[in-house]
Amino acid sequence: MMLLRRAASAAALLATVLPLTIAPPAHAAADGAAGCRPPASVPLDAEQSRLADPRTTALVERGGLADFVRRFPAALCTARSRGEAERLLDTWGQALWQASVRRAQSQRPGGDLAPGDDRPLYWARLAMTAALAGWQPDFPADKAALRARFEDASRGLTDNAFRPEPGVRRIFISGFDPFGLDAELRRANPSGSAALQLNGRRITLADGTRAEIRAVVLPVRYADFDAGMVERAFAPHLAAGPGAADIITTVSQGYPGIFTLEDWAGRARSADPYPDNARALSGGTRERPVTAPGLGPGPEFIRTTLPAAAVTAAVQTPYPVLLNSDVTEIPAGGTAPVDRTDGPTPGSRAVAGGGGGYLSNEVAYRSNRLRAELAPHLPGGHLHTPVLTGLPADPRQLTGPEFERNESAITAEVRAVLEHAAVRR
């Protein structure tokens, strides 16, 4: 385990989801294109370039999100200033997130894919960022800043607060986008699916008390981590106040056939030559790990404070849940990496935590470094789900019964883990 493994009417849907404020204003042309030059032909980034595969469009359409993509370019052309553009990107991003959450929880129709499928959100968001890249407004616009606003809003980082209610525990989790898409474009990520299915849910904990879950879905891109997205996501829920969580855990896809609670998160990146979704490398290898940019001060390794013994004793079906104490370190005074199964030794340099040296490990380190700084009493850690399997052998088939059963089973067990981990101790 040492390294990370790896259609209904859309118009009717939008009418129930998109706020009236993002409809074209009355003075706009009928096609919504007044005051907006024709889209520019701009090179797509490495992640957006996968949109050329028609299966990505099919996933959006079969997930009931196609009208978001179709209507977005005209909506952009209704913005007449930087402030209007910022509000529009916030509103559309939040609407896309809310529609995806409601679909995942079977609260709205959404095509013929299983409700919990996380792929429609991923590909719709990406197509909308491609449209944003080609947009040519009649005023100066910082498209990178606008994209960042849209990314945050469409991932649950904004307008996604806990509901105030005394006595209800507050659980904050993160999942991830699909990744490894150059090898298999149809891949989903069960951690992202779980985040969508559980966001806003009220659950009953193992001791009978109630809890509310809030979730975000993070990108598999080093640049976003460098820019502080993890800290932006978690800081509001670690600072004292009504938005504070009682427990946090990051979630990602890990190993075949098992759940693992990761005992240790390491400070280093060391996953090269494995790239992120933008085909970028971390700059760190097993022999030469690097520290991620933008990290505040912290130890080489951070240990989980989740109640691992209680969780592993109570939750074991349909997948085993194990505590993983593996790390890779360069021992004090040494130069070569050493694999250990019992945690790090004093003074060592981190190479990899239980989640490897990739973004799964880094999200655990970043969030729990911040937790140790802002709310050291809080339980926090990282949960790896099993690898989601079951895609049909025919690459033209986007889903299948086994794939959908496995996705549902993983989310159900994530919920069971949280029901035991969040009990007040």
Side-chain angles (χ1 to χ4, degrees):
M1 297 191 299
M2 189 59 60
L3 295 177
L4 185 65
R5 319 284 198 234
R6 318 297 165 237
S9 166
L13 303 182
L14 286 176
T16 65
V17 176
L18 294 183
L20 294 177
T21 54
I22 65 171
H27 63 270
D31 63 359
C36 191
R37 298 188 298 277
S41 178
V42 296
L44 299 179
D45 65 31
E47 192 170 21
Q48 293 164 342
S49 69
R50 300 187 186 99
L51 293 165
D53 191 309
R55 291 175 296 178
T56 67
T57 301
L59 284 165
V60 174
E61 291 176 345
R62 293 180 61 182
L65 299 180
D67 264 16
F68 278 91
V69 177
R70 281 194 285 265
R71 292 181 57 187
F72 188 57
L76 285 171
C77 289
T78 66
R80 299 294 189 269
S81 67
R82 183 180 68 179
E84 285 188 12
E86 290 174 347
R87 290 189 291 274
L88 186 144
L89 269 295
D90 290 347
T91 303
W92 275 77
Q94 289 167 9
L96 179 63
W97 169 255
Q98 292 161 5
S100 300
V101 167
R102 291 180 61 201
R103 180 185 180 279
Q105 298 177 15
S106 299
Q107 296 173 7
R108 69 188 285 271
D112 64 350
L113 291 179
D117 199 315
D118 64 311
R119 297 172 296 174
L121 170 60
Y122 173 74
W123 292 110
R125 182 196 299 114
L126 204 57
M128 293 166 78
T129 65
L132 176 62
W135 174 49
Q136 295 195 84
D138 288 337
F139 55 89
D142 183 342
K143 290 187 185 177
L146 290 173
R147 176 170 178 174
R149 296 181 75 102
F150 178 73
E151 291 270 357
D152 280 8
S154 65
R155 294 179 176 280
L157 272 70
T158 64
D159 194 28
N160 192 21
F162 290 104
R163 289 167 283 182
E165 185 171 332
V168 176
R169 300 274 285 167
R170 296 180 295 274
I171 304 169
F172 187 71
I173 69 172
S174 66
F176 270 113
D177 285 345
F179 65 100
L181 300 167
D182 286 332
E184 171 54 84
L185 189 82
R186 298 175 296 164
R187 280 183 177 151
N189 194 320
S191 69
S193 174
L196 290 171
Q197 293 184 67
L198 295 175
N199 184 64
R201 292 277 197 190
R202 289 284 178 88
I203 63 173
T204 301
L205 303 181
D207 64 354
T209 59
R210 298 286 288 164
E212 180 179 343
I213 302 169
R214 288 288 163 176
V216 294
V217 176
L218 299 172
V220 184
R221 296 190 298 249
Y222 288 113
D224 294 79
F225 276 48
D226 295 348
M229 180 178 277
V230 175
E231 289 79 4
R232 290 200 308 277
F234 279 86
H237 302 291
L238 292 170
D246 296 302
I247 179 174
I248 65 165
T249 186
T250 51
V251 187
S252 66
Q253 180 175 230
Y255 312 104
I258 59 171
F259 275 86
T260 54
L261 285 169
E262 302 303 338
D263 204 2
W264 298 94
R267 188 173 175 82
R269 291 176 176 173
S270 58
D272 294 354
Y274 192 83
D276 69 5
N277 275 352
R279 302 195 183 104
L281 297 176
S282 72
T285 66
R286 177 179 165 88
E287 290 71 29
R288 292 180 176 82
V290 298
T291 298
L295 275 180
E300 287 295 302
F301 291 95
I302 296 176
R303 194 168 199 174
T304 186
T305 54
L306 293 175
V311 171
T312 55
V315 185
Q316 289 293 323
T317 57
Y319 301 97
V321 182
L322 309 176
L323 177 65
N324 179 24
S325 296
D326 292 354
V327 300
T328 303
E329 66 175 13
I330 297 175
T335 58
V338 175
D339 296 336
R340 300 186 59 87
T341 60
D342 56 353
T345 56
S348 67
R349 166 83 164 96
V351 176
Y358 194 50
L359 290 168
S360 287
N361 169 79
E362 188 170 325
V363 74
Y365 186 91
R366 283 183 178 271
S367 60
N368 283 282
R369 189 208 67 79
L370 195 64
R371 176 190 57 76
E373 177 184 317
L374 299 178
H377 60 286
L378 247 65
H382 185 79
L383 175 68
H384 263 127
T385 75
V387 173
L388 177 57
T389 59
L391 280 171
D394 184 346
R396 296 169 297 180
Q397 295 185 31
L398 301 180
T399 190
E402 181 185 357
F403 175 80
E404 294 173 5
R405 284 195 301 271
N406 291 343
E407 188 173 57
S408 295
I410 290 171
T411 291
E413 196 158 342
V414 170
R415 176 172 173 162
V417 167
L418 296 176
E419 288 170 354
H420 288 82
V423 170
R424 191 185 302 274
R425 288 174 173 82

